[in-house]
Amino acid sequence: MFSFEGDFRRKPQQDLSGATRKEKREALLQRAQSERFKREESRRQHNSAILIQAFYRGHRTRCFLQKRLREEFDCKIREGNLSQWTVDDILTPLRCLLSFYSESLDAQRLACISQQLIRLSKVIIKLCVNGNQIPANAAAPNSMDTSKSPLAISLNENVLWAWRIRRLLNLCLCSALSIASVTSVNMEDDGMASSAAAGMALPLRMFEVFTFKESLESGLEEKSAPLVVRHLFQTYQFLIKKGYFEHLRWLIEQRTPPLLGVSPRPPTPLAACLVDLLARPLLLLSSHREPDYVQNYVLRLFARHILSPLPSDAIRLFVLPYLSSLPSFPYVALLEALQPHSWSADDATGLIDIDDEDSDEDPCQINGKGMGTRLNIYKHHCYSFVREEISQKRVTVPHTTWLLHSLLTLEGRQYGLNRDAMGVATLNYLRILARLTMWISKGCRRRGRAREGASSGQSHSSSPLCSGSTEEDEEEEESEDDDEDNSRTSKGAREERQAIEECIVMLNDPGRVNSLLAAVDHSKDPGVLHALCRLCHNLLLSRHLAVHQFRLLYMLAFKPSFLRRLWSAILSASQVSPLFGPASASEGLKSTSSSVITFSPSNSRLNLLRLISGGVETSPEETGRIVPLLAVFCALFTLLIVTLHDGEFYGDDSLPGGSSSQTSIRQEQPALAGNSQMALSSQQQQPKLVQTSPATSMSSSSQIMPFSLPELASLSLSLKDACLGLVELAFPESRPGVHDDYRTALRGQPQSVWTYGSDGISQLSTQGSVNNQKRRLHRQRTKWRKRRSRLVWSHLFKACVSLLRQLHTRDARRPFCPEGHWISKQVAILQTEGVSKGPSGSLHGSAVITPMASSDITLRRRGRPYRPFQGLRALTQEEMEEGPPLSTREIRTATILREVPFVVAFQERVLAFQGLVLRDKMERQGEATYFLQGPSIHITIRRAYLYEDAYEKLSPENEPDLRLKMRVQLVNAVGMSEAGVDGGGVFREFLSELIKTTFDPNRGFFRLTRDNTLFPSPGAPLIFGQDFPRHYYFAGRILGKALYENLLVELPLADFFLSKLVGRHSDVDVHHLASLDPLMHRNLIYLKSYDGDIADLNLDFTVINEELGETRVDELKPGGANIPVTAANRIEYIHLMADYKLNRQIRLQCNAFKQGLANVIPLEWLQMFDTRELQVLISGAPIPVDVEDLKRNTAYAGGYSPEHPTIRAFWTVVEHFDDLQRRLLLKFVTSCSRPPLLGFKELDPPFCVQHAGVASDRLPTASTCMNLLKLPEFPDEETLQSRLLYAIQAGAGFELS
């Protein structure tokens, strides 16, 4: 073999250096390696030279043969009389043309042959169609007798004619593309456009003659109709594999004029012809039943090239409406083809390829051994597929937003297609919508969207639904280079957002939703329920208020039978136990019939809800089975609960509108014991669960609530455990994998690629930019899946927490759960050891509560975000200098106290709150305040002008931080300073009296409800002018100061007003109206279920207000005075009226009060408590004073001891006091009439009795700052009782001596 340098042999190498010298081992090895590399390089060059030379010789030979064939073709054309040519005459030129055809050189030759084929079309069509006959002796295709039979030879020739016509049709389509591309470049040249239009006529005429069923059947007998259909199927399969749909799409986009709107009518005859060519193979599939793999192959390619890419105006405004208007469009078959299980490699077994696109010769010889093999195609109805393409390289359809938009458009208004007898079409429809609607999710469109080039028409594959997806069609994703044109990317993003909005409009179509709901009700397939939940889950992830924006979600929320069926599916979702193996069928049925699934060796299936409740990380397959169901159930049931009043929720007649028929399916049981103080009525009875099958649907006409009260108690228990388990999953103990930056550093080696698999780290050699692109795509997919997984789990956590809060709120208002139901023993936030007290008895903040002593419940301390399922970000150097990050236990505990605080006992939350306040005090005040030093606030207040002086001197301008130590000097009515040094007692008395004055209804800031509870006055703007918000801001600050100083004040606030303070939202709903105006609430609920003519009530959307003798009419909505209340809008009227009374009238007052409260106490700390608990935190528990508890926690000083006669007489007198007198004594000593929340052991400093001398004419005195009672020694009990009662009932304050 000659080399390129001209050397034909290798020259011998001679060494003339003399004798061999000794080499070192390292040098010898290095020289041997170098020589080995040289030999390897020489072999590589030699092999490359062979390949290059072979390619060149082949190219030169092909060019020579093509040139000779062209000359032969031209000679035949010149010498022959074309008008008299027969089929035999045209055979040789046709074979030559198929061998040498080139678009740039042979367009005229193709036109010449096409004209002759059209002239001889009847004979050629007959040959092609007859080639589909199946011979009687085809069962033995390898027989030599069969191969030599005249029938076999004739059939084989007909098959070859059909193959040649298909090849020629493909060349005609390519010719039309070439002509259209020239026209698109020279669009302004009218002559060029007209000549191009004329040039496209002949290729399109070829398709009309050889692919239209009507033209094929015109010259044949009626019995040949099946052969015609079979021939058409083979023809379209060949063309589709060669890019039929892709080429037609490009032609339609180029030859369709600009459109003004959506219309199924073709704008031009050429557009009509092209779209007809596009639809004909689809209509052929619809009219003739073919094997599934044939339909799937054709329809998947149709979806890949027409539906998935970014649509042009021609496709969006004309082609899709045209296809949707066809009555026989195979929409159901298209849904089946898009399913992941619709293509199997087994379907391709045995199929033989006769369409070698790279072959220039006939696929078989007329004579020879190939005859018997060729006849094998008749066993498969002559379907021509490439085996490797079917079994290995499946046709993948990119799941993009455009595919969803196209499918919804193609469905049109033929909603009945989704309701078939077996439910298969419904299942397929829901499955494909579930997979495609993930693209409307706001968190999954960033880098996970499939991008495509507008010119190529190619779309790229998308990622699977989420980490929970179990589908088998995770196709290979393609991606464009990161440096693609920014303008095109931004344009594609805008068009995608527009397509998403259009998809949402189509999904909200009433006809589509009603048909879908009817189909779901009709189907009993569990797969339909799961697919519907995946669809709803994607919709919930798409928008924040999805339940109010999607008609499907809103209507499902008010279907009790669906919610019961969904909860039953959640309880039955399980996995096979790895310890005990699969369960029997009977055990599986038993497990699904019970509302609580337990685990035992006999029950070998583990409930997935219990796995989540235990904080066990689930696999992607298990996640996909349980997360969509649970998230959808929580979101829909939350919406239902919000819209129900108590009569509907509890299923009784306690409120007007409660249907008596709702209790017909329930039995009564005695009210739960132990909740007499919390229950609204001790005589009330609660319903009992009726044992019914989960599949049994409750009457939706008479039953609004899908569950009974005992069922709700069990349901809330499961949800509580699930929320706690999700907290553990949200903040795992350790990071689950290697950091991405570390992986990138490893993968950055120039000589090798590191890949991470289940078997560890493996090293692969680099293969150029292809491998780099694959690795980049893999990283993008991994990042996308992680983002999607975080979004899914975060949404599930929020949905579960929201539903659990709603159930707890109902139970707090009117209990239906047993005592201690909400408390979880798994959560422990107290530390029982290491609690120390200072010299004065005060608790030090170093060891009060384990997780909360050094952390903030807001989880935003020092700017570090701790968000569920988001992981921990890297800390900066400045943050590290501020202190270590929170531990996992601290983060979990803080999350529980912020999201579901009611699972922790009230006493423990009070300690947590006090620990947070104490830590904040230590940071702001320090220990110097115990010695009357350090930063503090000093004010002088006139007792007669308590509020006015405090409002001025404690304004934000004068004292911006009320959390500092405050010392008060009181001035009496004559202008003299009152006796006593403020060591804390004067301040406590001042703050108590200030709060009493501020919240006094006679002052005008607050009003009393019918239950004698306080709420902001709607008439405050009329009394105090435009400056009224500052007064409410001040009121909020002083209440926050009382909470900050652990001062209990007798301040009964309205329940709805407390809800505004501790709620996540400032506005409250109609359920809280009962705490403001029970009569109006009862009337509105009565209006909701009123059966008569509402027009007779003469109501409109206005409300009349009377403030300070002034009557004013306010409209509930614009133009409300002219809008009567009817049966159609009465729900809106009820909510607008409640919103006006609860929110609009006092919004400014409540906002200012809440801001003032947050200025002293972070609202996140108060949100650990519900409204009743916050009232207890403010005013203390309304319980009698426990004398025995006070006696056990009392200290003595000045010579007193528990055995002293005066002390014995004192406790005897106190025990004979009534509760009012005991409260007066407590107020006299501690300045508060209510006992501490956690008992007198928490009183700081402790209650103390000090000896004050033996003078019997003196009165007892007190130092409230030290909780100290100065008790003189009295001779008997009567004297002690009279003197003590006089002192505590005088109310002389610090003037008493």
Side-chain angles (χ1 to χ4, degrees):
M1 181 64 63
F2 289 93
S3 65
F4 290 102
E5 287 79 12
D7 297 333
F8 59 93
R9 69 174 63 180
R10 193 172 68 178
K11 296 180 181 180
Q13 297 181 359
Q14 298 179 356
D15 189 1
L16 304 178
S17 59
T20 304
R21 292 180 298 177
K22 185 177 180 180
E23 290 184 287
K24 293 184 179 179
R25 181 175 180 273
E26 291 78 4
L28 178 62
L29 293 177
Q30 185 176 3
R31 182 170 59 83
Q33 183 181 13
S34 177
E35 292 177 355
R36 184 168 60 252
F37 285 159
K38 289 180 180 180
R39 290 193 299 270
E40 183 179 354
E41 181 67 21
S42 177
R43 287 193 299 269
R44 187 162 51 249
Q45 292 179 358
H46 180 73
N47 294 334
S48 300
I50 293 176
L51 291 176
I52 293 174
Q53 292 173 10
F55 176 80
Y56 173 73
R57 288 196 302 270
H59 173 72
R60 186 176 60 180
T61 303
R62 284 193 298 271
C63 292
F64 174 77
L65 292 177
Q66 289 175 0
K67 181 179 179 181
R68 191 177 66 180
L69 290 174
R70 281 192 180 92
E71 294 175 354
E72 182 180 353
F73 180 89
D74 295 339
C75 181
K76 289 280 187 179
I77 295 298
R78 287 193 302 268
E79 294 177 357
N81 188 1
L82 299 182
S83 61
Q84 298 181 0
W85 270 15
T86 63
V87 174
D88 295 333
D89 296 331
I90 203 174
L91 179 60
T92 301
L94 178 58
R95 295 183 60 180
C96 294
L97 180 66
L98 295 178
S99 300
F100 65 74
Y101 179 78
S102 174
E103 291 184 9
S104 60
L105 301 176
D106 305 312
Q108 295 297 328
R109 298 182 178 92
L110 177 63
C112 180
I113 287 295
S114 299
Q115 292 174 355
Q116 298 305 315
L117 291 175
I118 293 174
R119 185 176 61 84
L120 301 172
S121 59
K122 292 185 178 181
V123 180
I124 296 176
I125 288 173
K126 188 175 181 179
L127 291 174
C128 295
V129 172
N130 290 335
N132 292 276
Q133 294 181 359
I134 302 178
N137 56 356
N142 295 324
S143 173
M144 295 302 296
D145 297 337
T146 302
S147 63
K148 296 179 181 180
S149 64
L151 177 60
I153 296 176
S154 176
L155 286 175
N156 189 74
E157 182 62 27
N158 295 340
V159 170
L160 291 179
W161 264 107
W163 177 81
R164 296 183 188 112
I165 292 300
R166 294 167 197 153
R167 285 285 307 273
L168 196 65
L169 289 175
N170 184 57
L171 296 181
C172 290
L173 187 58
C174 295
S175 176
L177 285 174
S178 178
I179 296 173
S181 62
V182 174
T183 308
S184 62
V185 175
N186 303 276
M187 295 185 61
E188 299 179 356
D189 191 347
D190 296 338
M192 180 69 70
S194 60
S195 62
M200 291 182 62
L202 187 59
L204 296 180
R205 176 60 180 167
M206 282 287 294
F207 275 91
E208 181 181 356
V209 171
F210 291 101
T211 62
F212 283 19
K213 184 180 178 182
E214 297 79 3
S215 62
L216 294 178
E217 293 177 344
S218 61
L220 300 175
E221 300 177 357
E222 294 183 0
K223 63 180 181 180
S224 301
L227 300 179
V228 171
V229 174
R230 190 172 302 152
H231 168 70
L232 285 177
F233 267 116
Q234 295 180 58
T235 302
Y236 281 125
Q237 290 166 27
F238 178 88
L239 295 175
I240 289 171
K241 194 180 71 172
K242 300 298 183 181
Y244 179 78
F245 289 128
E246 187 177 3
H247 296 160
L248 281 180
R249 175 191 173 100
W250 193 87
L251 284 174
I252 292 173
E253 292 176 345
Q254 295 297 323
R255 303 306 298 173
T256 302
L259 302 174
L260 298 179
V262 178
S263 175
R265 302 184 61 180
T268 62
L270 179 59
C273 180
L274 293 175
V275 76
D276 185 59
L277 290 177
L278 180 66
R280 281 191 174 270
L282 305 177
L283 299 180
L284 189 65
L285 290 175
S286 179
S287 59
H288 297 82
R289 180 62 181 172
E290 294 299 319
D292 290 339
Y293 55 85
V294 176
Q295 289 193 6
N296 296 338
Y297 181 79
V298 174
L299 293 174
R300 277 177 171 262
L301 283 175
F302 169 74
R304 178 180 179 86
H305 297 299
I306 303 299
L307 305 182
S308 285
L310 174 66
S312 61
D313 290 342
I315 299 295
R316 183 171 53 89
L317 302 179
F318 164 53
V319 174
L320 293 180
Y322 175 83
L323 295 177
S324 65
S325 65
L326 298 176
S328 57
F329 180 80
Y331 187 76
V332 176
L334 177 62
L335 296 178
E336 174 66 25
L338 293 177
Q339 299 303 314
H341 55 76
S342 62
W343 192 268
S344 174
D346 297 336
D347 296 335
T349 304
L351 295 184
I352 296 177
D353 179 25
I354 64 171
D355 300 323
D356 188 2
E357 58 182 308
D358 296 328
S359 174
D360 293 328
E361 301 296 333
D362 290 344
C364 63
Q365 301 296 329
I366 296 178
N367 298 315
K369 298 181 180 180
M371 177 61 64
T373 304
R374 185 55 50 196
L375 292 177
N376 268 336
I377 60 177
Y378 295 108
K379 293 193 302 181
H380 306 283
H381 307 284
C382 302
Y383 293 126
S384 52
F385 285 91
V386 181
R387 179 182 301 177
E388 291 78 7
E389 182 173 2
I390 296 177
S391 60
Q392 299 177 6
K393 187 180 178 182
R394 296 188 306 165
V395 178
T396 60
V397 181
H399 288 173
T400 61
T401 307
W402 320 115
L403 180 58
L404 173 63
H405 184 275
S406 301
L407 288 178
L408 294 176
T409 304
L410 288 176
E411 184 184 12
R413 296 192 174 275
Q414 301 176 9
Y415 304 124
L417 293 176
N418 303 327
R419 289 183 288 176
D420 56 322
M422 302 300 294
V424 177
T426 300
L427 179 60
N428 293 336
Y429 182 73
L430 289 174
R431 280 179 174 175
I432 194 63
L433 286 186
R435 291 190 60 83
L436 295 179
T437 48
M438 73 176 195
W439 296 114
I440 67 175
S441 300
K442 58 184 178 181
C444 303
R445 299 195 304 268
R446 200 162 298 169
R447 286 190 178 270
R449 72 163 60 93
R451 299 172 297 178
E452 57 272 345
S455 59
S456 64
Q458 278 278 9
S459 175
H460 302 282
S461 299
S462 61
S463 297
L465 173 66
C466 63
S467 60
S469 176
T470 61
E471 302 294 346
E472 60 184 11
D473 63 336
E474 287 192 23
E475 279 92 270
E476 181 75 21
E477 288 186 297
E478 301 177 21
S479 178
E480 294 181 352
D481 190 81
D482 293 337
D483 298 328
E484 70 175 338
D485 187 16
N486 293 331
S487 61
R488 186 178 64 186
T489 302
S490 60
K491 179 182 179 182
R494 290 193 301 269
E495 293 179 349
E496 184 178 12
R497 287 193 296 267
Q498 181 182 357
I500 290 174
E501 295 300 326
E502 294 177 0
C503 289
I504 292 175
V505 173
M506 288 187 284
L507 288 173
N508 280 328
D509 185 87
R512 178 178 279 106
V513 173
N514 294 334
S515 175
L516 187 58
L517 293 178
V520 171
D521 292 339
H522 183 266
S523 175
K524 303 302 180 182
D525 186 1
V528 172
L529 178 65
H530 191 273
L532 177 63
C533 288
R534 288 182 58 190
L535 169 61
C536 296
H537 189 221
N538 291 331
L539 298 181
L540 289 171
L541 293 176
S542 64
R543 303 203 172 185
H544 179 61
L545 299 176
V547 290
H548 302 285
Q549 298 178 0
F550 289 96
R551 184 185 299 270
L552 176 63
L553 299 177
Y554 188 82
M555 296 185 68
L556 284 176
F558 293 92
K559 294 178 69 69
S561 59
F562 173 78
L563 293 177
R564 287 185 64 87
R565 181 182 172 190
L566 182 55
W567 181 247
S568 177
I570 293 173
L571 295 180
S572 61
S574 58
Q575 69 165 359
V576 178
S577 171
L579 298 178
F580 301 99
S584 62
S586 60
E587 291 175 352
L589 293 176
K590 291 179 182 179
S591 65
T592 57
S593 62
S594 175
S595 60
V596 179
I597 296 181
T598 58
F599 172 72
S600 64
S602 61
N603 181 16
S604 59
R605 300 192 68 85
L606 299 178
N607 182 256
L608 295 180
L609 183 60
R610 284 188 170 273
L611 288 182
I612 294 178
S613 302
V616 179
E617 185 176 358
T618 56
S619 64
E621 186 267 340
E622 295 164 353
T623 302
R625 289 171 53 195
I626 186 63
V627 170
L629 301 179
L630 186 56
V632 171
F633 174 81
C634 293
L636 299 187
F637 195 29
T638 301
L639 175 63
L640 177 63
I641 292 179
V642 170
T643 59
L644 299 180
H645 60 76
D646 287 346
E648 295 170 330
F649 183 87
Y650 292 97
D652 55 18
D653 295 329
S654 61
L655 288 176
S659 176
S660 59
S661 63
Q662 295 176 4
T663 60
S664 60
I665 63 171
R666 300 175 179 176
Q667 299 177 359
E668 295 183 348
Q669 66 177 7
L672 297 171
N675 287 337
S676 58
Q677 295 183 1
M678 301 292 292
L680 296 181
S681 174
S682 61
Q683 303 298 328
Q684 215 165 22
Q685 294 183 341
Q686 296 186 354
K688 182 179 179 180
L689 172 65
V690 173
Q691 300 297 331
T692 58
S693 172
T696 302
S697 175
M698 305 177 70
S699 177
S700 59
S701 59
S702 60
Q703 180 63 39
I704 301 178
M705 267 296 293
F707 305 101
S708 63
L709 295 184
E711 286 177 317
L712 284 178
S714 175
L715 186 150
S716 61
L717 188 62
S718 300
L719 283 178
K720 180 189 69 176
D721 295 338
C723 289
L724 297 179
L726 287 172
V727 171
E728 296 184 15
L729 292 174
F731 302 103
E733 292 290 347
S734 60
R735 292 189 176 182
V738 184
H739 197 274
D740 291 340
D741 294 340
Y742 182 70
R743 294 185 180 184
T744 304
L746 288 178
R747 290 172 175 168
Q749 302 296 329
Q751 300 295 333
S752 62
V753 178
W754 295 88
T755 60
Y756 295 78
S758 58
D759 55 348
I761 303 178
S762 60
Q763 186 176 10
L764 303 175
S765 60
T766 56
Q767 297 181 4
S769 60
V770 177
N771 285 339
N772 293 332
Q773 183 180 8
K774 289 183 178 180
R775 291 194 301 273
R776 185 173 66 252
L777 292 177
H778 176 72
R779 289 195 298 269
Q780 291 177 356
R781 287 198 302 270
T782 302
K783 184 182 297 184
W784 184 90
R785 288 168 184 153
K786 288 182 179 179
R787 185 184 299 113
R788 174 77 181 185
S789 179
R790 289 196 298 266
L791 177 65
V792 167
W793 284 101
S794 299
H795 176 266
L796 175 64
F797 180 66
K798 294 177 182 177
C800 291
V801 167
S802 179
L803 177 56
L804 195 62
R805 285 176 184 167
Q806 288 289 340
L807 294 174
H808 177 263
T809 301
R810 294 279 185 168
D811 183 70
R813 188 161 63 241
R814 178 179 168 186
F816 60 86
C817 296
E819 186 177 5
H821 173 83
W822 299 101
I823 306 302
S824 175
K825 298 180 180 180
Q826 303 175 6
V827 182
I829 65 172
L830 293 179
Q831 179 174 334
T832 58
E833 58 184 11
V835 179
S836 60
K837 293 192 176 183
S840 61
S842 62
L843 290 173
H844 286 275
S846 59
V848 178
I849 301 169
T850 300
M852 303 306 300
S854 61
S855 63
D856 192 343
I857 193 175
T858 61
L859 296 185
R860 289 190 295 270
R861 179 171 174 256
R862 302 184 183 95
R864 303 173 189 165
Y866 296 94
R867 302 173 60 188
F869 304 99
Q870 300 297 321
L872 302 177
R873 66 176 178 86
L875 302 179
T876 63
Q877 183 177 0
E878 293 77 7
E879 291 172 339
M880 290 296 296
E881 292 176 355
E882 294 179 0
L886 302 182
S887 66
T888 301
R889 183 185 177 189
E890 291 174 336
I891 297 174
R892 288 178 178 177
T893 305
T895 302
I896 291 174
L897 291 177
R898 185 184 61 181
E899 302 293 342
V900 284
F902 43 83
V903 302
V904 181
F906 175 64
Q907 293 81 0
E908 297 181 8
R909 280 179 282 143
V910 171
L911 283 178
F913 174 77
Q914 292 177 351
L916 290 170
V917 172
L918 187 57
R919 179 176 59 83
D920 190 77
K921 278 186 178 180
M922 297 300 296
E923 292 179 356
R924 294 183 179 275
Q925 299 180 6
E927 297 183 355
T929 55
Y930 295 109
F931 305 97
L932 302 181
Q933 296 180 1
S936 59
I937 300 174
H938 295 269
I939 56 175
T940 301
I941 302 296
R942 296 173 295 175
R943 188 177 287 273
Y945 300 94
L946 193 67
Y947 178 81
E948 290 77 5
D949 290 353
Y951 175 75
E952 177 185 356
K953 296 183 179 181
L954 296 180
S955 63
E957 294 79 8
N958 295 328
E959 298 296 341
D961 189 3
L962 283 189
R963 286 172 287 187
L964 298 177
K965 190 71 174 180
M966 185 180 296
R967 308 189 193 282
V968 181
Q969 177 66 54
L970 293 177
V971 177
N972 58 19
V974 298
M976 300 293 294
S977 297
E978 294 185 359
V981 178
D982 186 9
V986 179
F987 161 71
R988 295 166 69 88
E989 181 190 10
F990 155 74
L991 189 57
S992 178
E993 293 298 327
L994 176 61
I995 290 178
K996 183 184 300 184
T997 303
T998 303
F999 288 85
D1000 187 357
N1002 295 324
R1003 183 168 289 273
F1005 293 122
F1006 292 86
R1007 285 185 181 179
L1008 287 173
T1009 65
R1010 296 191 179 186
D1011 298 333
N1012 291 324
T1013 56
L1014 297 168
F1015 71 98
S1017 173
L1022 300 177
I1023 301 175
F1024 302 99
Q1026 300 297 325
D1027 200 34
F1028 74 96
R1030 293 177 57 86
H1031 291 273
Y1032 286 97
Y1033 184 83
F1034 173 74
R1037 294 185 82 196
I1038 61 173
L1039 179 60
K1041 183 63 174 177
L1043 292 172
Y1044 192 79
E1045 299 295 341
N1046 197 19
L1047 174 64
L1048 299 179
V1049 291
E1050 299 178 10
L1051 190 65
L1053 299 177
D1055 184 73
F1056 81 94
F1057 181 52
L1058 291 172
S1059 298
K1060 288 175 172 288
L1061 300 181
V1062 299
R1064 265 62 177 181
H1065 306 285
S1066 299
D1067 291 349
V1068 292
D1069 53 22
V1070 67
H1071 305 298
H1072 296 85
L1073 186 60
S1075 63
L1076 174 63
D1077 192 341
L1079 180 59
M1080 175 174 287
H1081 178 255
R1082 185 176 294 271
N1083 291 336
L1084 290 178
I1085 297 301
Y1086 179 79
L1087 177 64
K1088 179 180 180 181
S1089 57
Y1090 183 65
D1091 296 332
D1093 189 1
I1094 298 182
D1096 297 339
L1097 302 179
N1098 295 325
L1099 297 175
D1100 55 19
F1101 283 78
T1102 60
V1103 60
I1104 300 176
N1105 288 318
E1106 294 185 3
E1107 296 289 347
L1108 302 178
E1110 178 183 349
T1111 302
R1112 186 179 70 256
V1113 178
D1114 292 336
E1115 293 184 340
L1116 298 178
K1117 57 188 294 188
N1122 301 322
I1123 303 176
V1125 178
T1126 62
N1129 60 14
R1130 58 179 169 181
I1131 300 298
E1132 181 186 11
Y1133 173 79
I1134 291 172
H1135 286 277
L1136 288 178
M1137 178 63 75
D1139 179 70
Y1140 179 84
K1141 290 293 184 180
L1142 295 171
N1143 301 313
R1144 285 177 55 185
Q1145 272 193 314
I1146 55 175
R1147 178 170 285 116
L1148 295 180
Q1149 294 91 314
C1150 292
N1151 290 341
F1153 187 91
K1154 194 172 182 178
Q1155 293 173 5
L1157 181 64
N1159 181 257
V1160 182
I1161 296 289
L1163 295 179
E1164 290 84 358
W1165 297 359
L1166 298 180
Q1167 288 171 354
M1168 290 191 296
F1169 310 97
D1170 60 26
T1171 56
R1172 295 172 183 259
E1173 294 169 342
L1174 180 59
Q1175 184 64 65
V1176 173
L1177 193 67
I1178 294 174
S1179 303
I1183 57 177
V1185 177
D1186 190 349
V1187 178
E1188 292 299 326
D1189 183 37
L1190 177 61
K1191 188 175 181 181
R1192 286 193 302 268
N1193 294 279
T1194 297
Y1196 303 97
Y1200 278 152
S1201 66
E1203 303 300 330
H1204 195 280
T1206 303
I1207 296 301
R1208 289 183 177 180
F1210 171 75
W1211 289 119
T1212 302
V1213 170
V1214 173
E1215 288 175 354
H1216 287 86
F1217 279 173
D1218 57 21
D1219 188 62
L1220 177 60
Q1221 292 171 337
R1222 293 174 184 175
R1223 289 179 180 276
L1224 289 176
L1225 172 63
L1226 197 59
K1227 183 177 178 61
F1228 179 75
V1229 180
T1230 66
S1231 75
C1232 182
S1233 62
R1234 292 191 177 185
L1237 296 177
L1238 305 179
F1240 287 100
K1241 66 178 182 297
E1242 299 297 330
L1243 193 62
D1244 181 27
F1247 192 94
C1248 182
V1249 181
Q1250 182 180 355
H1251 194 282
V1254 295
S1256 60
D1257 57 344
R1258 294 187 58 185
L1259 293 175
T1261 59
S1263 297
T1264 56
C1265 59
M1266 302 298 294
N1267 296 330
L1268 179 65
L1269 174 63
K1270 300 175 182 180
L1271 182 66
E1273 188 176 341
F1274 295 103
D1276 50 33
E1277 291 184 10
E1278 291 78 6
T1279 305
L1280 188 150
Q1281 180 177 1
S1282 61
R1283 293 291 182 178
L1284 185 59
L1285 284 175
Y1286 182 85
I1288 64 178
Q1289 294 175 352
F1294 287 91
E1295 294 298 320
L1296 181 65
S1297 62

